[in-house]
């Protein structure tokens, strides 16, 4: 089978492309993979390059329509479009180009945020504009819900009529999407798959428990301030805990201020790792993730009434757990697939989160048991297991 992976929205989602590469390489010699992308996206994936992978780059000066039309030159059997949400002027132009190209093979489009594609009618969308907090939010919401969403709906209609499907990242989001389209039009492809990292650098005899927070350092998407404030109650265990803010610093979302506050706590003797750069490449991300003892989800779950992590959209938290077989410390309201629950601890506030961390420090046997459960759970997301789910006909 000849499979395309199409990603021309920078910076895109390289972990999803990496997962697809591993899924379609699970049976050696069965598939050829063609990745249509920008040069920067290729660099992000260089550690995932296998002999069955070929890159076709978007050249300078080439229109989006011309580039997308090149997919028809490769006798492809199917394709995946990773990011196609018209959330900016540039991506809106790409979406319009995508809609106008006639593909000669069925496509599966990833739906990262159901609210961007489906949902309320015009008057409810207008209410969202009324609830905008400031002028910039009003303008953004006007673009998304009044101008861009109708194009997204046309893209979905065209894709399904051409025999394509929609992909989501988890079973939880799939259940929400079934409110709008039938289950047989939806497939589940995890953000990451379990691939046994070459090094597990979090042995039981660690001097410190390492807590990892994956994702952009942001004051909008995550609650780093509560995490750092939690440290005020940790002076007695400051040498037994280490925090890794594993992601690039999002300056537009207040990341620089968080990094500065983290430095203040570093000067007080706390062990915190934060990188003052825009992004962390996959290879470095994987290595640092392998050091973790547990993953902390400190998301601001409800971004709006119809934009909710763990319901209408997914984060990278459960997939960091899957990829590296790590237990998670998650808010009680954050839904994850049932297959992960035995390696999850829940908190309602950061006082409870701190109690959980203290308990793991004082009870290393419990942490060891959680890690064992995490490995068993992650094995359910091995590339071959996911391949069997998304290509069932090939396995009959």
């Amino acid at each position: 089978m000849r499979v395309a992976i199409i990603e021309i929205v920078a910076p895109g989602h390289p972990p999803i492309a990496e997962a697809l590469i591993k899924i379609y390489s699970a049976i050696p010699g069965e598939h050829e993979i063609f990745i249509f992308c920008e040069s920067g996206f290729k660099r992000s994936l260089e550690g995932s390059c296998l002999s069955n992978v070929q890159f076709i780059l978007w050249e300078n000066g080439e229109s989006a329509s011309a580039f997308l039309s090149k997919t028809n030159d490769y006798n492809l059997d199917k394709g995946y479009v990773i990011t196609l949400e018209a959330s900016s002027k540039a991506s809106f132009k790409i979406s319009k180009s995508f809609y106008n190209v006639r593909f000669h093979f069925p496509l599966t489009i990833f739906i990262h945020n159901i609210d961007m594609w489906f949902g309320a009618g015009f008057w409810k969308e207008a209410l969202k504009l009324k609830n905008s907090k400031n002028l910039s939010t009003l303008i953004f919401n006007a673009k998304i819900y009044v101008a861009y969403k109708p194009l997204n709906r046309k893209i979905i209609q065209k894709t399904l009529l051409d025999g394509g499907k929609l992909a989501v990242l988890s079973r939880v989001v799939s259940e929400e999407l079934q409110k709008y389209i039938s289950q047989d039009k939806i497939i589940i492809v995890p953000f990451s798959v379990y691939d046994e990292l070459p090094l597990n650098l979090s042995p039981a005899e660690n001097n410190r428990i390492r807590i990892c927070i994956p994702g952009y350092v942001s004051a909008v998407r995550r609650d780093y301030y509560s995490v750092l404030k939690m440290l005020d109650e940790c002076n007695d265990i400051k040498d037994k805990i280490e925090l890794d803010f594993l992601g690039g610093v999002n300056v537009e979302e207040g990341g620089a201020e968080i990094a500065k506050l983290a430095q203040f706590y570093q000067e007080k003797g706390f062990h915190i790792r934060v990188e003052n750069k825009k992004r962390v490449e996959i290879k470095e991300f994987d290595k640092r993730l392998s050091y973790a003892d547990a993953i902390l989800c400190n998301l601001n779950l409800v971004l709006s009434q119809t934009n909710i992590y763990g319901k209408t959209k997914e984060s990278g938290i459960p997939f960091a757990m899957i990829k590296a077989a790590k237990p998670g410390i998650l808010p009680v309201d954050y839904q994850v697939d049932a297959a992960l629950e035995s390696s999850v601890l829940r908190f309602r506030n950061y006082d409870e989160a701190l109690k959980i961390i203290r308990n793991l420090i004082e009870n290393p046997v419990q942490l060891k048991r959680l890690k064992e459960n995490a490995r068993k759970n992650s094995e359910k997301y091995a590339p071959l297991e996911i391949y069997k789910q998304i290509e069932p006909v090939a396995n009959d």
Side-chain angles (χ1 to χ4, degrees), residues 267-325:
E267 292 168 356
K268 291 177 67 173
F270 288 95
H271 303 277
I272 305 172
R273 182 167 183 179
V274 57
E275 304 293 340
N276 194 15
K277 54 187 178 183
K278 290 184 177 180
R279 63 183 303 168
V280 176
E281 299 298 336
I282 289 177
K283 188 174 182 180
E284 180 186 353
F285 183 95
D286 286 352
K287 184 175 181 180
R288 284 169 58 182
L289 189 61
S290 71
Y291 276 91
D293 290 296
I295 291 169
L296 175 64
C297 172
N298 74 324
L299 287 170
N300 293 319
L301 298 184
V302 181
L303 301 179
S304 73
Q305 187 177 1
T306 55
N307 190 359
I308 304 170
Y309 279 114
K311 183 178 180 182
T312 66
K313 65 189 297 183
E314 262 303 353
S315 77
I317 296 295
F319 307 110
M321 293 169 57
I322 289 167
K323 186 173 191 177

Side-chain angles (χ1 to χ4, degrees), residues 225-371:
Y225 289 109
S226 290
V227 172
L228 290 169
K229 189 174 184 299
M230 183 177 70
L231 297 180
D232 291 333
E233 307 298 325
C234 292
N235 276 307
D236 59 320
I237 56 170
K238 67 169 56 175
D239 288 326
K240 296 181 179 180
I241 183 173
E242 180 176 332
L243 297 178
D244 187 356
F245 296 178
L246 182 47
V249 174
N250 191 322
V251 175
E252 291 78 14
E253 296 183 359
E257 289 76 11
I258 294 168
K260 185 176 180 180
L261 184 58
Q263 184 179 0
F264 168 77
Y265 279 95
Q266 288 171 338
E267 292 168 356
K268 291 177 67 173
F270 288 95
H271 303 277
I272 305 172
R273 182 167 183 179
V274 57
E275 304 293 340
N276 194 15
K277 54 187 178 183
K278 290 184 177 180
R279 63 183 303 168
V280 176
E281 299 298 336
I282 289 177
K283 188 174 182 180
E284 180 186 353
F285 183 95
D286 286 352
K287 184 175 181 180
R288 284 169 58 182
L289 189 61
S290 71
Y291 276 91
D293 290 296
I295 291 169
L296 175 64
C297 172
N298 74 324
L299 287 170
N300 293 319
L301 298 184
V302 181
L303 301 179
S304 73
Q305 187 177 1
T306 55
N307 190 359
I308 304 170
Y309 279 114
K311 183 178 180 182
T312 66
K313 65 189 297 183
E314 262 303 353
S315 77
I317 296 295
F319 307 110
M321 293 169 57
I322 289 167
K323 186 173 191 177
K326 303 294 181 180
I329 304 171
L330 312 182
V332 292
D333 293 330
Y334 187 34
Q335 301 179 60
V336 295
D337 288 354
L340 297 174
E341 279 294 345
S342 66
S343 56
V344 169
L345 299 173
R346 300 283 187 174
F347 65 92
R348 285 171 293 198
N349 53 56
Y350 284 91
D351 288 338
E352 289 189 2
L354 179 55
K355 288 179 181 178
I356 288 171
I357 293 170
R358 283 183 177 276
N359 190 51
L360 292 178
I361 292 171
E362 295 167 2
N363 297 281
V365 173
Q366 182 191 14
L367 180 58
K368 182 180 179 182
R369 183 170 63 250
L370 283 167
K371 288 183 178 181

Side-chain angles (χ1 to χ4, degrees), residues 191-207:
F191 203 121
S192 298
V193 292
Y194 177 57
D195 196 30
E196 290 202 59
L197 296 178
L199 295 174
N200 184 347
L201 302 176
S202 60
E205 63 272 14
N206 274 352
N207 293 325

Side-chain angles (χ1 to χ4, degrees), residues 52-70:
N52 63 331
V53 176
Q54 179 180 339
F55 285 90
I56 298 91
L57 297 182
W58 191 359
E59 299 173 0
N60 289 335
E62 187 176 26
S63 71
S65 295
F67 179 66
L68 290 168
S69 294
K70 287 200 296 194

Side-chain angles (χ1 to χ4, degrees), residues 142-158:
K143 288 179 179 179
I144 294 298
Y145 297 114
V146 178
Y148 295 175
K149 188 178 282 191
L151 174 60
N152 286 349
R153 287 172 175 157
K154 289 181 180 179
I155 288 172
I156 287 176
Q157 184 179 36
K158 173 188 173 183

